[in-house]
Amino acid sequence: MRYEIHGYKPIQPFIENKTCFLRHSIPVRHPIHDLVWEFYQYETSGLQAEEVSVVPDACADMLFCYDSNGLTSFIVGGPFRISTNRYDQKTTVFGIRFVTGSEFSICGVPVHGHPFEHMICRDINSKFREWDERMTECVTFDERVSFCEKKISSLLMTRDEVPLLVRFAVTAIINNEGNLKISRLADQSGYSVRYIEKQFNEYIGLEPKKLCEIVRFQNALTHLIARHGDKLSDIAWDAGYYDLSHMNKSYRQMTSALPRDVTGLLDK
């Protein structure tokens, strides 16, 4: 059974604003559309130590980092607060951004239970050694995308360990832009709030309420970037916050800054 996600796409503006950023979004009819948001790639200059900011998006990423020492691959869960990746030399980063929860089928661990901890892929499972070897041979962005599409498709033909309840709940939260009470989710699914929370912790590593907060934050961030000049109170209301004060509180928790300060950083 497929649960379709409509009109939502997590963004990482501090990464996407980099000059060498490339993206390949997954088409709707592609076999891995419900599992992967996108493939992307960016480069650091290498002229000095560089930090790249990452905002909460409730996505786990698989990162392949190419530098003078070769290739190192990681699985990393999205942070609950703004965080940074630090690169001390010129690095090409190729990433796979998974739909929330679907990474469990690939790596077998609830990645968000280790917020923003870089877990070396081959230490999680020996199967990633062969993946690393093939990715070392891929030189261009298109080659990396092509191989990873085939690899993920083949893995998911053999197993999909994420329960339908979790997929249903994640889809419902995202399609409601994070504005969904867990009690309503329980009524819709027929399971108790406590059982849904248990399943989320086991397969995703974060509570449904936290996923709601991050999805709402992401939707507000998209509005803020696209609607320069609009009243912040209007954006807060459209994103599902009670009022501007509610949105300000959320942004302080996740970014240690107010909404307009965050968008101001992007303009620099």
Side-chain angles (χ1 to χ4, degrees):
M1 182 180 296
R2 296 184 60 159
Y3 293 110
E4 296 286 347
I5 292 175
H6 305 291
Y8 173 80
K9 182 182 171 304
I11 60 174
Q12 285 295 338
F14 293 101
I15 292 177
E16 294 167 20
N17 280 4
K18 296 186 69 62
T19 54
C20 296
F21 180 77
L22 300 172
R23 163 185 284 139
H24 175 81
S25 298
I26 307 302
V28 173
R29 298 302 176 188
H30 196 285
I32 65 172
H33 173 259
D34 298 333
L35 307 161
V36 175
W37 290 114
E38 66 182 6
F39 300 102
Y40 61 93
Q41 183 171 291
Y42 65 91
E43 297 181 4
T44 63
S45 66
L47 299 177
Q48 58 185 5
E50 189 171 342
E51 292 186 344
V52 180
S53 295
V54 180
V55 299
D57 64 3
C59 297
D61 288 31
M62 183 181 292
L63 303 178
F64 297 88
C65 300
Y66 300 81
D67 59 27
S68 61
N69 296 317
L71 169 65
T72 307
S73 62
F74 305 92
I75 292 284
V76 55
F80 300 150
R81 293 173 58 86
I82 193 169
S83 190
T84 57
N85 283 331
R86 179 183 173 88
Y87 302 97
D88 293 321
Q89 57 179 302
K90 183 175 177 61
T91 305
T92 298
V93 180
F94 177 86
I96 306 171
R97 181 160 295 132
F98 292 103
V99 173
T100 306
S102 65
E103 72 280 354
F104 192 95
S105 297
I106 304 299
C107 60
V109 296
V111 176
H112 295 286
H114 311 271
F116 219 65
E117 175 185 340
H118 285 61
M119 297 180 287
I120 297 177
C121 289
R122 62 177 178 273
D123 291 345
I124 298 174
N125 193 308
S126 59
K127 70 184 179 186
F128 287 115
R129 295 182 183 275
E130 184 267 341
W131 197 326
D132 283 356
E133 290 173 1
R134 292 293 306 276
M135 285 296 283
T136 301
E137 299 170 359
C138 296
V139 178
T140 68
F141 177 66
D142 289 342
E143 289 175 343
R144 292 162 185 160
V145 168
S146 178
F147 169 71
C148 288
E149 283 182 333
K150 294 174 183 176
K151 184 67 175 179
I152 294 171
S153 296
S154 67
L155 288 173
L156 293 173
M157 288 176 64
T158 58
R159 70 173 197 173
D160 183 2
E161 299 180 357
V162 181
L164 291 179
L165 170 61
V166 175
R167 291 200 181 281
F168 165 77
V170 168
T171 303
I173 288 171
I174 291 175
N175 285 345
N176 283 276
E177 300 183 341
N179 300 302
L180 180 65
K181 291 185 179 297
I182 308 308
S183 58
R184 182 183 167 199
L185 192 58
D187 291 339
Q188 291 176 341
S189 66
Y191 291 91
S192 68
V193 169
R194 186 173 180 178
Y195 183 75
I196 294 172
E197 291 175 343
K198 180 178 180 294
Q199 291 282 286
F200 263 62
N201 285 326
E202 182 175 352
Y203 290 95
I204 299 181
L206 79 167
E207 296 179 351
K209 182 178 179 180
K210 177 59 70 174
L211 176 58
C212 287
E213 292 174 359
I214 293 174
V215 171
R216 190 186 303 120
F217 162 82
Q218 276 279 329
N219 276 292
L221 184 59
T222 300
H223 284 301
L224 284 163
I225 292 173
R227 296 165 55 181
H228 276 293
D230 282 15
K231 291 182 179 179
L232 290 179
S233 57
D234 291 343
I235 291 175
W237 178 260
D238 290 343
Y241 292 103
Y242 300 127
D243 52 27
L244 179 56
S245 176
H246 186 200
M247 184 169 74
N248 286 344
K249 180 180 178 181
S250 173
Y251 268 70
R252 286 195 186 99
Q253 290 175 340
M254 295 195 188
T255 69
S256 300
L258 292 172
R260 199 174 296 281
D261 295 330
V262 174
T263 55
L265 291 172
L266 293 172
D267 293 334
K268 292 183 178 179

